[in-house]
Amino acid sequence: RGIITAVPVPFYGRGIEIKILAAEAGVGLTNLAFAISAYQADHDAYPDSLEVLTPNYISQIPTDPFSGKPLKMTSVEGGLILYSVGPDLRDDGGAKEYDNKLKSKEVNSGDITFVMGTAFADLRLKPSREYLKKSTQERELRTKKRKK
């Protein structure tokens, strides 16, 4: 794991660990996005695969802190989705937690994403009513448990 997760911290539960790993994934995705932007500037196109970025644009493809494997990329109309498999460890092809395309509607399901290009406006998802309702119910349940 990276520097962020190597710092000893008191045990606060899985929620804190997930947030730390998600932040680490975000750093890797951002570094990957910079490398892809440089590639795009040189070639007037997005790369067909992440492997073409090494070693000229990035020394190695960043590791997904959740799976231990390289971060992933998928092409979409108008751009790319860079992603980590996220805390559920399932490759959802770049679908976010509150994406209606997801099979699972559980909180902390879905991928952690970075969308590039004009696809960003189309794929900037808003949580569905179903997701918001379930998330609120789970938060209320946790609050009740803490008060007991």
Side-chain angles (χ1 to χ4, degrees), residues 90-148:
R90 283 194 314 262
D91 185 344
D92 296 306
K96 295 181 90 158
E97 179 176 30
Y98 43 79
D99 189 339
N100 291 327
K101 293 180 280 191
L102 269 183
K103 292 178 181 135
S104 171
K105 299 297 181 196
E106 296 296 315
V107 173
N108 289 328
S109 63
D111 299 331
I112 297 169
T113 63
F114 189 114
V115 180
M116 298 185 71
T118 57
F120 177 76
D122 297 334
L123 298 175
R124 183 178 42 214
L125 303 172
K126 294 179 177 66
S128 67
R129 286 188 183 135
E130 178 184 323
Y131 171 82
L132 289 173
K133 182 179 178 184
K134 184 168 187 86
S135 180
T136 301
Q137 289 170 344
E138 288 178 2
R139 188 171 44 253
E140 288 170 356
L141 184 63
R142 284 192 307 270
T143 303
K144 285 180 186 177
K145 284 182 181 179
R146 274 188 247 141
K147 289 181 179 179
K148 286 184 181 181

Side-chain angles (χ1 to χ4, degrees), residues 59-91:
S59 59
Q60 66 182 33
I61 305 305
T63 302
D64 185 331
F66 290 98
S67 70
K69 297 177 181 173
L71 291 171
K72 300 178 180 246
M73 173 185 84
T74 187
S75 296
V76 292
E77 188 174 332
L80 299 173
I81 299 176
L82 310 176
Y83 67 97
S84 156
V85 296
D88 66 358
L89 302 177
R90 283 194 314 262
D91 185 344

